[in-house]
Amino acid sequence: MLNQPSPLDLTFQALADPTRRALVERLVRGPASVSELAQPLDMSLPAVMQHLAVLESSGLVRSEKVGRVRTCRIDAAQLSLAEQWINQRRMEWVSRLDRLGQYLETLKDEDGEES
């Protein structure tokens, strides 16, 4: 078996670039054509299309071409997978911090009893 990145790896690699994050942020508001997505960016249309290709290969964005217009939209399911992964890490740290807080309270109680 080849060492291929997981879908989650591809998602985070795609989101590592600020331009791609900006494209995702725009697409969260609704579908847009490639030219609409490229308009506020200070780069060539081929460069924007390369960024969109990375987002599509990661599964974050889907596109369809009707006539000469390619319309892109976000794939919420892939974003949800990344959100779930982040939330699981957050919950682990919250639990650890809660346990630390409880431990510190027991130390404080012990110090109070000795005084």
Side-chain angles (χ1 to χ4, degrees), residues 34-100:
V34 172
S35 59
E36 289 171 328
L37 293 169
Q39 192 270 330
L41 302 174
D42 188 25
M43 62 178 61
S44 67
L45 190 59
V48 172
M49 291 179 72
Q50 285 180 334
H51 283 293
L52 288 168
V54 171
L55 290 168
E56 281 194 80
S57 68
S58 75
L60 287 167
V61 170
R62 297 192 185 277
S63 72
E64 64 179 342
K65 189 170 184 179
V66 178
R68 296 181 59 158
V69 178
R70 178 167 298 279
T71 301
C72 300
R73 61 185 31 85
I74 202 75
D75 185 340
Q78 194 64 29
L79 267 180
S80 181
L81 289 175
E83 179 186 22
Q84 288 172 18
W85 186 88
I86 290 168
N87 282 335
Q88 287 171 348
R89 303 298 81 72
R90 182 186 56 78
M91 288 170 48
E92 288 171 12
W93 276 104
V94 165
S95 175
R96 289 177 182 174
L97 291 172
D98 285 346
R99 288 193 310 267
L100 176 61

